[in-house]
Amino acid sequence: MASRYLQVNGTHVTEAQSYLLLMLGSTLFVDKSRDRVRPVVNLFLDELEEIDQYSWASGTLAWLYRCLGQASRAGARGVAGCLTLLQCWIYEYFPGFRPSHFEPPVVGPDEAWASRWIGQPATGSVADPSVRLAFYRRALDSLTPADVFWTPFHQRPHLEVRRSLYTGVIRFADIGQFYDPARCLRQFGYRQMVPPPPSRPQRADRPEAPGGYVIRIPESFDAAWDALLSHMVHIDMYSQPWRTYPYETTADYLDWFVAHSHCRVLRDDGDADRLVDSAAVRFDH
């Protein structure tokens, strides 16, 4: 690959492939090898005419999901993936974590949405790195539903991006990740209900060391991508699905959430039941 892409008198096709390899490896599919690119990216560049037929967005998200899973292991010392996407997602949904004293401009139809945040410094509330992590953890624990901008892109995002409500597996090469909007319906303008049980992979191994992190999903799951019903929310599954306020939930959802989630990042000294009760109150309407 190196001899092919670095030849001095390469063809225009080779030059284009070299540029795309650099761009994809340094933006969408970043790993922790600094100046290297995963060879698998080259698989998608053999036929330049087919590049616009790939779902680069879902591939980028699948790679980021996998990197976040690896970063959650106790032995992880960093995170890879498209962190531009992650950081902009945080800014859009959580205004309290945006750069201080900054109102993002409106972007044009031909501009990248992330360009709203170009050149802006990170929130400057904490200068000391030794206390920065604790500061952000406490900030997350103090969030209320009103502190979240639930639909920053569109009141009905799936009308703008038709694949948004897809339920199934998203892939980047041999990496597959489950994508389930039923777990975050308020981001799509619906009331949040208790989601169905998650799909199970063929194999899952998540040791403390991120190097052994393996999740395998049968390729038979991929057929859902081309099935029309996989991209819809079935109205008959929801009673009065459209929400009346941004963080509306069904009556049974909050009890399910408290029972199945870690409601706080920091576990302060005190009774665990008190922490759960306070979380239930905080997330209620």
Side-chain angles (χ1 to χ4, degrees):
M1 286 180 57
S3 61
R4 173 186 175 187
Y5 288 129
L6 296 178
Q7 55 183 308
V8 177
N9 299 316
T11 65
H12 292 309
V13 171
T14 303
E15 292 174 350
Q17 291 171 329
S18 303
Y19 169 74
L20 289 170
L21 189 68
L22 170 66
M23 183 183 68
L24 295 173
S26 60
T27 56
L28 303 186
F29 306 112
V30 181
D31 59 19
K32 293 188 284 186
S33 64
R34 296 191 178 184
D35 59 349
R36 298 181 182 273
V37 179
R38 289 171 58 87
V40 70
V41 177
N42 183 61
L43 297 175
F44 305 101
L45 304 180
D46 284 342
E47 301 294 338
L48 293 180
E49 296 80 5
E50 297 180 0
I51 281 184
D52 61 347
Q53 302 299 311
Y54 293 119
S55 175
W56 294 104
S58 62
T60 301
L61 193 59
W63 174 240
L64 178 60
Y65 281 172
R66 176 58 55 88
C67 292
L68 291 175
Q70 293 173 332
S72 70
R73 302 295 89 195
R77 293 294 181 268
V79 61
C82 185
L83 299 186
T84 301
L85 171 62
L86 179 62
Q87 187 172 3
C88 292
W89 181 88
I90 294 170
Y91 285 167
E92 296 292 346
Y93 282 94
F94 302 96
F97 292 91
R98 293 176 178 177
S100 303
H101 310 296
F102 173 69
E103 184 64 30
V106 177
V107 297
D110 298 324
E111 296 178 277
W113 192 274
S115 65
R116 290 161 29 103
W117 308 105
I118 287 179
Q120 297 303 317
T123 304
S125 303
V126 182
D128 185 356
S130 63
V131 297
R132 186 177 299 142
L133 180 60
F135 170 84
Y136 282 114
R137 284 175 170 172
R138 293 190 182 280
L140 287 170
D141 282 344
S142 66
L143 285 174
T144 69
D147 295 325
V148 180
F149 191 2
W150 294 94
T151 50
F153 306 108
H154 195 278
Q155 291 300 310
R156 301 285 183 266
H158 59 281
L159 299 180
E160 293 290 317
V161 182
R162 66 186 182 90
R163 299 278 190 180
S164 297
L165 289 178
Y166 167 71
T167 300
V169 173
I170 54 177
R171 284 194 182 273
F172 168 59
D174 60 333
I175 292 174
Q177 296 287 140
F178 288 112
Y179 178 88
D180 188 2
R183 294 183 169 267
C184 53
L185 286 171
R186 286 169 290 186
Q187 296 183 31
F188 299 98
Y190 294 91
R191 288 196 309 166
Q192 182 63 56
M193 56 172 283
V194 175
S199 301
R200 294 186 177 276
Q202 186 179 37
R203 175 192 171 192
D205 186 13
R206 303 181 180 91
E208 289 189 3
Y213 189 97
V214 176
I215 296 178
R216 291 180 180 172
I217 302 174
E219 293 185 1
S220 58
F221 280 67
D222 296 348
W225 184 260
D226 294 319
L228 180 62
L229 293 180
S230 298
H231 301 269
M232 296 181 178
V233 169
H234 302 283
I235 297 299
D236 58 352
M237 294 177 59
Y238 307 92
S239 59
Q240 301 177 354
W242 300 111
R243 65 187 187 188
T244 55
Y245 56 91
Y247 43 90
E248 184 179 4
T249 67
T250 57
D252 57 344
Y253 175 75
L254 290 176
D255 289 336
W256 176 90
F257 176 81
V258 171
H260 291 80
S261 303
H262 297 286
C263 297
R264 295 174 66 108
V265 180
L266 288 175
R267 298 304 299 262
D268 297 328
D269 294 336
D271 189 352
D273 292 337
R274 176 181 60 81
L275 296 179
V276 172
D277 290 341
S278 66
V281 172
R282 186 170 65 255
F283 280 93
D284 209 344
H285 176 44

